[in-house]
């Protein structure tokens, strides 16, 4: 980050786990299994990371990331944890279906590579995994989380989002199961309440067709007409054949009652 001191940078780095530390992995797995046992109906368990672009820079981690990148080490860590959890599941809860998730996080602090760019390389015109250890186990999913790169108000298929589609396609080289966090309420448009309302249908279709299992929307609660935003998205998630404009009309008429004509006029003006 611009103007960042060495001290603040070090704090961000130290906030992240040392993913190459085997003692940490064993303790992490033990705690995760307890959490899985407590949440007996849970299916997807997202391991996540601290909300910054720091990454452990110990000698061992650096040796690995120099070879396969930070997302590569992240995948190696996920796969190891997933194998340990799968061993426990087969022995103790064979009736359960459990997925372990990591996060492909472009957190907007300026360091795009942190676990966001997939661990693949170009060979003879095709993308291939950088190493066998980065290919996801069958019970691993990647939570795709892009904050600042996409044009959130436009369709996922819009030319402005070509780079995002390319990154997603490269991730598919190493992983088959995904989740997505969508910032329709992106911070750079804090006062625009309608981000993405006409891209919902494209997004839902895209994620459904590309192995996405979890769809999470971040939309600031204090945005005007946020309830309409939530209503339209939720209805389309249940039935993608519904018409967006009709849902907007329906919501306004039922929620705002006699004020509906004025709200709709305000909405259309804003659009």
């Amino acid at each position: 980050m611009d103007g960042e001191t060495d001290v603040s940078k070090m704090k961000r780095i130290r906030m992240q786990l040392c993913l190459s530390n085997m003692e940490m992995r064993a303790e992490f797995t033990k705690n995760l299994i307890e959490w899985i046992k407590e949440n007996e109906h849970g299916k997807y368990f997202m391991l996540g990371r601290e909300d910054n672009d720091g990454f452990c820079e110990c000698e061992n981690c650096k040796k690995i990331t120099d070879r396969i990148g930070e997302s590569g080490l992240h995948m190696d860590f996920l796969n190891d944890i997933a194998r340990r959890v799968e061993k426990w599941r087969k022995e103790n809860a064979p009736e359960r279906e459990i997925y372990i998730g990591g996060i492909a996080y472009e957190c907007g602090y300026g360091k795009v590579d942190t676990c966001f760019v997939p661990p693949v390389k170009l060979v003879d015109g095709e993308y291939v995994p950088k190493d066998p250890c980065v290919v996801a186990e069958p019970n691993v999913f990647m939570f795709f989380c892009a904050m600042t790169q996409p044009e959130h108000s436009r369709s996922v298929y819009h030319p402005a989002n070509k780079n995002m589609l390319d990154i997603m396609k490269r991730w598919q080289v190493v992983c088959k199961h995904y989740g997505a966090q969508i910032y329709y309420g992106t911070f750079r448009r804090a006062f625009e309440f309608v981000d993405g309302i006409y891209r919902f249908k494209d997004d839902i279709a895209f994620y459904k067709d590309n192995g996405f299992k979890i769809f999470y929307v971040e939309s600031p609660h204090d945005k005007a007409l946020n309830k309409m935003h939530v209503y339209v998205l939720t209805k389309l998630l249940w039935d993608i054949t519904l018409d967006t404009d009709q849902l907007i009309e329906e919501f306004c008429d039922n929620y705002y009652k006699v004020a509906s004509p004025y709200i709709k006029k305000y909405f259309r003006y804003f659009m």
Side-chain angles (χ1 to χ4, degrees), residues 20 40 78 98 157-158 170 179 184 193 196:
S20 67
E40 57 184 28
L78 281 176
I98 298 171
Y157 299 110
H158 190 278
R170 278 182 273 156
Y184 292 128
F193 57 80

Short mmCIF file of all heavy atoms in Angstrom, two decimals, residues 20 40 78 98 157-158 170 179 184 193 196:
data_model
loop_
_atom_site.label_atom_id
_atom_site.label_comp_id
_atom_site.label_asym_id
_atom_site.label_seq_id
_atom_site.Cartn_x
_atom_site.Cartn_y
_atom_site.Cartn_z
N SER A 20 3.17 -23.59 5.68
CA SER A 20 4.09 -24.71 5.47
C SER A 20 4.45 -25.42 6.78
O SER A 20 5.13 -26.45 6.76
CB SER A 20 5.36 -24.23 4.77
OG SER A 20 6.11 -23.37 5.62
N GLU A 40 -23.01 -30.59 13.03
CA GLU A 40 -23.24 -31.92 12.47
C GLU A 40 -24.00 -31.90 11.14
O GLU A 40 -24.00 -32.89 10.41
CB GLU A 40 -24.00 -32.79 13.47
CG GLU A 40 -25.33 -32.22 13.92
CD GLU A 40 -25.98 -33.07 14.99
OE1 GLU A 40 -25.25 -33.74 15.74
OE2 GLU A 40 -27.22 -33.05 15.07
N LEU A 78 -4.48 -26.57 1.68
CA LEU A 78 -5.87 -27.02 1.63
C LEU A 78 -5.97 -28.51 1.38
O LEU A 78 -6.75 -29.22 2.04
CB LEU A 78 -6.61 -26.29 0.50
CG LEU A 78 -7.09 -24.88 0.74
CD1 LEU A 78 -7.70 -24.32 -0.54
CD2 LEU A 78 -8.10 -24.83 1.86
N ILE A 98 -18.55 -33.76 3.23
CA ILE A 98 -17.83 -32.61 3.78
C ILE A 98 -16.86 -32.05 2.74
O ILE A 98 -16.06 -32.80 2.15
CB ILE A 98 -17.05 -32.99 5.05
CG1 ILE A 98 -18.02 -33.45 6.15
CG2 ILE A 98 -16.20 -31.83 5.54
CD1 ILE A 98 -17.34 -34.04 7.36
N TYR A 157 -20.52 -11.58 -18.43
CA TYR A 157 -20.09 -11.80 -19.81
C TYR A 157 -19.70 -10.51 -20.53
O TYR A 157 -19.28 -10.55 -21.68
CB TYR A 157 -21.22 -12.47 -20.60
CG TYR A 157 -21.60 -13.83 -20.06
CD1 TYR A 157 -22.82 -14.03 -19.43
CD2 TYR A 157 -20.73 -14.92 -20.17
CE1 TYR A 157 -23.18 -15.27 -18.93
CE2 TYR A 157 -21.08 -16.16 -19.68
CZ TYR A 157 -22.31 -16.33 -19.05
OH TYR A 157 -22.65 -17.56 -18.56
N HIS A 158 -19.84 -9.38 -19.87
CA HIS A 158 -19.51 -8.09 -20.50
C HIS A 158 -18.00 -8.01 -20.76
O HIS A 158 -17.20 -8.54 -19.97
CB HIS A 158 -19.95 -6.94 -19.58
CG HIS A 158 -19.87 -5.60 -20.21
ND1 HIS A 158 -18.69 -4.87 -20.28
CD2 HIS A 158 -20.82 -4.83 -20.83
CE1 HIS A 158 -18.93 -3.73 -20.89
NE2 HIS A 158 -20.20 -3.67 -21.24
N ARG A 170 -8.85 -20.31 -15.66
CA ARG A 170 -7.56 -20.87 -15.27
C ARG A 170 -7.66 -21.64 -13.95
O ARG A 170 -7.01 -22.66 -13.76
CB ARG A 170 -6.51 -19.76 -15.17
CG ARG A 170 -5.90 -19.38 -16.53
CD ARG A 170 -4.84 -18.33 -16.38
NE ARG A 170 -5.38 -16.99 -16.41
CZ ARG A 170 -4.80 -15.93 -15.87
NH1 ARG A 170 -3.65 -16.07 -15.23
NH2 ARG A 170 -5.35 -14.74 -15.94
N GLY A 179 -17.04 -21.59 -4.85
CA GLY A 179 -18.02 -20.69 -4.27
C GLY A 179 -17.67 -19.31 -4.79
O GLY A 179 -16.61 -19.09 -5.37
N TYR A 184 -21.78 -6.80 -5.20
CA TYR A 184 -22.68 -5.90 -5.91
C TYR A 184 -22.70 -4.54 -5.23
O TYR A 184 -22.92 -3.52 -5.86
CB TYR A 184 -24.10 -6.47 -5.94
CG TYR A 184 -24.23 -7.71 -6.79
CD1 TYR A 184 -24.79 -8.87 -6.29
CD2 TYR A 184 -23.76 -7.72 -8.10
CE1 TYR A 184 -24.91 -10.01 -7.07
CE2 TYR A 184 -23.85 -8.85 -8.88
CZ TYR A 184 -24.43 -9.99 -8.36
OH TYR A 184 -24.53 -11.12 -9.13
N PHE A 193 -27.41 2.22 -5.29
CA PHE A 193 -28.13 1.11 -4.67
C PHE A 193 -28.45 -0.01 -5.65
O PHE A 193 -28.98 -1.04 -5.26
CB PHE A 193 -29.43 1.61 -4.04
CG PHE A 193 -30.34 2.33 -5.00
CD1 PHE A 193 -31.15 1.61 -5.86
CD2 PHE A 193 -30.36 3.70 -5.05
CE1 PHE A 193 -31.98 2.26 -6.76
CE2 PHE A 193 -31.19 4.36 -5.94
CZ PHE A 193 -32.00 3.64 -6.80
N GLY A 196 -25.57 -4.11 -10.17
CA GLY A 196 -25.74 -5.50 -10.52
C GLY A 196 -27.15 -6.01 -10.63
O GLY A 196 -27.33 -7.20 -10.92
#
